[in-house]
Amino acid sequence: MQRVLTRSLWELAFYLGVAFFVVLAAFPFYWMVITAFKENSDLYDVSNIPFWFNEWPTLEHIKYLFEETLFARWLWNSLVIGVCVTAITLVTAVPAGYALARMKSRKGETLGIMIFLTYLVPPTLLFLPLSRIIAELGLQNSMWSLVLVYPTFTIPFCSWLLMGFFKALPVEIEEAAIVDGCSLFGAFIKMAIPLSVPAILTVVIFTFTLTLQEFVYALTFVSSSDQKTITLGVTTDLVRGDVFFWGELMAGALIAAVPVAIAYNLFLDRFIAGITGGAVK
Amino acid sequence: MAVIAEPIAKPVSRFQLFLDRREVLEMFLVAPAIIYVLLLVGLPLLLAVYYSLSTYTVYDPSWRFVGLRNFWDILQNPTFTQTLLNTFIFTFGSQLLGLVLGKFGAFLLLRPFPGRKIVRALIVLPFVIPVALATIAWRWLFDSLYSVFNWTLIALGILERADAPNWLGTPWLAMLCVIIINAWRFFPFAIVIFLAGITAVPQDVIDAATVDGAGFWRRNYQIILPMILPIMAIGLIFGIVFTFTDLSIVFLLTQGGPVGATSVLAFAGFKTGIESGDVAHGAAMSLFMLPVLLIVVVFMLRFIRRREI
């Protein structure tokens, strides 16, 4: 009897612990959702219970975003930047990852670690000189500056990720192609690339989400509203002086965050595997 | 295989020979990535060092060399000493809090239970939502008038409305908020890293230890923990580096205030270098991050290398 009691007490403590973590992690997100759909009169009445709708939910804030702000434009900018950066990253990182994986001796690994370490060089150390370089190129205050700069962190990360993938791909497949008359380069193009489609898809997802998340470079290089990315636009343009449009802010943040959150969640294990490299074997 | 051999009769071009030499081809394939990174990371890094030793400003782009004078100027400024201290408090406070939360969370998620997948997806939300957007949500949670925390405390009768804390307007509370948000952002990462490490420990090692009579704590601290140390070290590198160099949370939550209480290195560098246009001093401020980053990275890499043997 005593044992049964202790056991169920343990069970209870376990689920309470789980509940605590879920609330801790998801509450701000819940707050975004609920604020985004509340009437202003409901939002700004301190006597109302804030945890639930006291008046009917509304789509007013979302309507306002698309009609009165440049929200749609920011979405479009982010999409264009994401597509361009992904293209640049694929063209450079796929060959690099492949070559690093196939290099003899430890040269490939050392070079790979060196490239990966540049992922750790923070934007906050580079934005000053980069802003000068961008001004020299005549790209200041333009979203194209971000297309130029974002590959500095997507290329190192993706090369490293792909290097791990290509290492796991048996060399014999390419050797067979070479025996059949393919050149070395041909074996890479015709054999290795088609087999690496899943890895390439992962790289596309990560590149895209990394560009959507980025804030520091966008803040430093872009100041006119029509050139902003979604993350920058929502966080800086919806605040007028000291007035915060909380409903619109949360609606905008929600729309920008949900796709990133879903994509990341699905690929999180690959991301962790990429970051930790060979540490998990 | 559908690949058919080309007829040999075709003369082999120079280009083809070039692509068939393994070392040459490998260098050719790596080169674009390396050149990109050298031009847009390596070169700016050197430029940053040079700016910090010059009198370069947006209004007077002269390259006059002044040695370490900028660093000297900055260190004379008590506000900057405060900023330096804040950066360390912010980084280590949030890493510690994040690790503690991460360890407990991983411990809970290790056990299979119904709905674990959904719970995991919810718990990793802070890490997968763009931090700038999450910070804006937190700012709303900490709002001086409409803070939901204050509302709850008042509703529970713990506080009077008149005594409700002004979260972002009181220096030490503002620092606490910044630390909480950053710990909140990183604890799911710690959980996932921790879980990845533990699942990589071979079950037979654990079983062998159990058979040999090792209890729960002994298994935890003398077998599992040493085996997952390398992966935890990598997780910590990322946590420290990304926290130490972050400006988005401070920029969006407190703007370094109140009265400089939450100003951190990256934010101070941005204020001086970009907003005030004093590139030389801004670069010098940012460069204070470099030694710490180098130490962290070198230390951790050596640690990982040693572990592998």
Side-chain angles (χ1 to χ4, degrees):
Chain A
M1 185 61 206
Q2 175 109 41
R3 269 184 76 166
V4 175
L5 195 68
T6 354
R7 221 188 125 75
S8 32
L9 272 179
W10 266 114
E11 284 293 282
L12 183 69
F14 174 78
Y15 283 106
L16 278 179
V18 172
F20 166 77
F21 272 96
V22 170
V23 170
L24 178 72
F27 186 69
F29 183 72
Y30 170 76
W31 210 240
M32 258 187 207
V33 177
I34 204 163
T35 308
F37 295 107
K38 263 190 189 182
E39 291 276 0
N40 272 334
S41 51
D42 188 357
L43 220 46
Y44 299 122
D45 184 343
V46 274
S47 59
N48 276 348
I49 300 167
F51 294 98
W52 192 239
F53 295 100
N54 301 283
E55 295 170 31
W56 281 105
T58 170
L59 290 176
E60 204 181 298
H61 301 306
I62 292 172
K63 219 177 105 195
Y64 180 92
L65 273 183
F66 282 98
E67 285 173 1
E68 310 288 326
T69 73
L70 290 167
F71 190 74
R73 172 79 201 212
W74 302 329
L75 273 175
W76 174 248
N77 289 351
S78 289
L79 187 72
V80 172
I81 292 171
V83 169
C84 295
V85 174
T86 307
I88 296 175
T89 307
L90 282 182
V91 169
T92 49
V94 174
Y98 175 76
L100 290 173
R102 291 289 182 254
M103 275 183 188
K104 291 275 181 284
S105 75
R106 289 183 74 88
K107 196 174 78 180
E109 191 154 337
T110 312
L111 206 55
I113 289 178
M114 276 166 59
I115 291 184
F116 184 63
L117 278 183
T118 55
Y119 183 69
L120 289 175
V121 179
T124 42
L125 206 61
L126 301 176
F127 61 58
L128 282 167
L130 277 176
S131 72
R132 299 285 89 207
I133 292 174
I134 280 160
E136 288 296 320
L137 294 171
L139 289 176
Q140 70 269 52
N141 217 351
S142 145
M143 59 186 255
W144 299 107
S145 61
L146 302 179
V147 173
L148 181 74
V149 165
Y150 285 172
T152 55
F153 55 83
T154 60
I155 290 175
F157 181 74
C158 295
S159 303
W160 179 254
L161 199 76
L162 286 160
M163 177 175 129
F165 179 83
F166 283 122
K167 267 191 182 157
L169 201 70
V171 194
E172 288 75 24
I173 297 173
E174 294 138 57
E175 282 170 352
I178 292 167
V179 169
D180 283 349
C182 245
S183 64
L184 260 181
F185 186 69
F188 162 60
I189 296 287
K190 289 181 197 148
M191 293 281 107
I193 288 188
L195 285 171
S196 64
V197 168
I200 288 176
L201 193 72
T202 313
V203 163
V204 169
I205 303 276
F206 282 138
T207 310
F208 217 91
T209 45
L210 286 174
T211 63
L212 277 174
Q213 285 186 317
E214 211 285 328
F215 179 75
V216 174
Y217 284 140
L219 175 71
T220 325
F221 302 150
V222 176
S223 52
S224 35
S225 292
D226 67 330
Q227 296 288 312
K228 284 183 178 174
T229 61
I230 184 89
T231 314
L232 182 68
V234 167
T235 48
T236 58
D237 254 39
L238 298 179
V239 184
R240 305 276 150 72
D242 274 348
V243 186
F244 286 78
F245 294 83
W246 287 115
E248 285 77 15
L249 269 167
M250 292 301 113
L254 188 68
I255 296 173
V258 165
V260 184
I262 292 173
Y264 236 116
N265 226 322
L266 292 176
F267 286 79
L268 190 65
D269 293 319
R270 294 245 187 129
F271 183 79
I272 300 296
I275 276 190
T276 54
V280 191
K281 278 172 186 151
Chain B
M1 297 280 136
V3 184
I4 298 159
E6 301 252 320
I8 313 160
K10 212 165 121 190
V12 183
S13 70
R14 251 202 185 155
F15 184 65
Q16 200 146 23
L17 268 177
F18 166 72
L19 288 183
D20 264 341
R21 295 252 324 267
R22 190 166 266 282
E23 307 84 66
V24 179
L25 177 70
E26 277 166 355
M27 286 326 287
F28 172 74
L29 292 179
V30 187
I34 291 188
I35 292 171
Y36 210 111
V37 169
L38 277 181
L39 282 181
L40 287 166
V41 179
L43 182 71
L45 201 59
L46 292 179
L47 265 180
V49 174
Y50 193 81
Y51 284 148
S52 72
L53 304 172
S54 74
T55 53
Y56 196 102
T57 63
V58 172
Y59 319 103
D60 171 26
S62 68
W63 292 81
R64 201 158 60 81
F65 182 81
V66 292
L68 294 174
R69 209 184 71 198
N70 293 328
F71 290 94
W72 179 246
D73 290 349
I74 292 170
L75 283 173
Q76 296 304 102
N77 187 347
T79 327
F80 183 74
T81 341
Q82 170 79 37
T83 297
L84 208 55
L85 187 67
N86 286 344
T87 315
F88 281 95
I89 297 175
F90 170 54
T91 306
F92 293 105
S94 51
Q95 288 307 305
L96 196 68
L97 187 58
L99 272 183
V100 171
L101 284 172
K103 165 117 183 134
F104 276 105
F107 193 65
L108 290 173
L109 282 186
L110 209 52
R111 205 188 97 174
F113 59 89
R116 187 166 70 157
K117 279 222 161 109
I118 299 165
V119 166
R120 199 192 96 136
L122 288 174
I123 286 184
V124 296
L125 270 180
F127 186 65
V128 301
I129 285 183
V131 64
L133 302 172
T135 305
I136 283 293
W138 277 99
R139 180 157 184 169
W140 173 219
L141 285 167
F142 285 129
D143 188 85
S144 54
L145 194 54
Y146 301 103
S147 166
V148 65
F149 303 128
N150 289 358
W151 188 92
T152 311
L153 289 173
I154 293 163
L156 291 175
I158 298 170
L159 272 181
E160 289 292 318
R161 179 150 282 282
D163 310 327
N166 184 356
W167 294 97
L168 303 175
T170 317
W172 75 272
L173 278 178
M175 180 49 105
L176 186 69
C177 291
V178 178
I179 289 177
I180 287 175
I181 295 175
N182 204 55
W184 173 83
R185 164 175 157 69
F186 273 113
F187 88 85
F189 179 64
I191 291 183
V192 178
I193 289 262
F194 213 81
L195 286 176
I198 290 181
T199 40
V201 175
Q203 189 58 42
D204 45 326
V205 174
I206 300 174
D207 291 342
T210 318
V211 170
D212 286 347
F216 172 79
W217 294 107
R218 223 176 138 82
R219 283 205 303 271
N220 235 324
Y221 284 97
Q222 290 194 317
I223 294 164
I224 297 177
L225 196 65
M227 286 188 86
I228 62 171
L229 268 186
I231 188 174
M232 281 178 66
I234 295 174
L236 209 58
I237 292 183
F238 280 92
I240 292 178
V241 168
F242 288 154
T243 308
F244 197 74
T245 63
D246 184 60
L247 72 75
S248 46
I249 294 182
V250 165
F251 182 87
L252 291 168
L253 198 76
T254 60
Q255 283 281 322
V259 285
T262 57
S263 172
V264 290
L265 272 178
F267 179 75
F270 175 81
K271 275 278 169 198
T272 314
I274 299 287
E275 290 194 351
S276 319
D278 185 355
V279 180
H281 283 95
M285 284 179 185
S286 305
L287 278 177
F288 271 87
M289 296 189 284
L290 200 57
V292 177
L293 293 181
L294 282 179
I295 291 169
V296 170
V297 172
V298 168
F299 177 79
M300 294 290 187
L301 283 178
R302 287 188 60 174
F303 175 78
I304 295 159
R305 282 260 162 86
R306 207 174 53 220
R307 279 273 143 196
E308 272 178 348
I309 299 165

